[in-house]
Amino acid sequence: MLKKDPSVVLMGEDGRIFRRRVPRHRGTATQVRRAARHRHPIAEGGIVAAAIGMSVNGLRPVAEIQFADYIYPGFDQIASELARLRYRSAGEFHAPVTIRTPCGGGIRGGQTHSQSPEGIFTHVCGLKVVMPSNPLRRQGAVDHRHRGR
């Protein structure tokens, strides 16, 4: 998917995302064109806002938030802008943004890296929340998402 579609852009705040130290990204650096990788400072609201802007202009960003606990600064952008963009513009604009973030106790992150805020997002109209149970289902969900379904 990342090799085939030039509109897909991978963006994240963790520099290790491109050095394959994070297990969920093993092999990603070899799959993604250099032009499609964007490293960002630790500013979740800015990452989400940049992803929204990119998507409105024809790209399909995959924004990576390092841990789900850090998504709260971007929540207002997600709930107030991203989720409502199509409705507010009467269908003129849409924002095909994928936001990935690990959550829950399985990442062994301790008290500040083990929250599961997905329930908050399930109550926001206009968002789709996907919680795959294993790596194969995760890849299927990502591929399905980028085919526009």
Side-chain angles (χ1 to χ4, degrees):
M1 175 229 8
L2 293 169
K3 285 182 181 178
K4 296 176 186 175
D5 188 351
S7 67
V8 175
V9 179
L10 182 65
M11 46 194 304
E13 58 194 6
D14 188 359
R16 294 177 298 173
I17 191 171
F18 307 119
R19 292 196 298 261
R20 296 182 286 164
R21 290 187 191 159
V22 180
R24 67 185 177 276
H25 292 298
R26 283 213 179 96
T28 303
T30 58
Q31 293 177 9
V32 185
R33 320 171 297 289
R34 180 167 292 287
R37 294 181 272 170
H38 296 272
R39 293 169 75 176
H40 290 267
I42 299 176
E44 292 79 8
I47 291 170
V48 172
I52 294 169
M54 291 170 134
S55 68
V56 168
N57 287 291
L59 297 175
R60 299 174 79 80
V62 179
E64 175 77 27
I65 304 296
Q66 192 174 19
F67 294 103
D69 303 54
Y70 303 156
I71 205 162
Y72 297 114
F75 180 78
D76 185 48
Q77 291 284 336
I78 296 167
S80 299
E81 304 299 330
L82 179 60
R84 299 178 182 157
L85 187 63
R86 185 177 299 198
Y87 177 74
R88 279 188 186 167
S89 67
E92 186 175 340
F93 295 104
H94 67 284
V97 175
T98 300
I99 300 173
R100 295 178 49 200
T101 185
C103 64
I107 60 173
R108 299 184 184 103
Q111 68 171 357
T112 57
H113 298 337
S114 297
Q115 295 182 37
S116 294
E118 66 277 356
I120 297 169
F121 294 101
T122 62
H123 295 282
V124 177
C125 294
L127 296 181
K128 294 179 184 176
V129 177
V130 178
M131 294 286 295
S133 61
N134 59 53
L136 184 62
R137 293 201 183 267
R138 182 205 60 87
Q139 187 59 44
V142 169
D143 290 346
H144 186 75
R145 167 66 183 100
H146 285 285
R147 283 191 297 266
R149 296 183 187 119

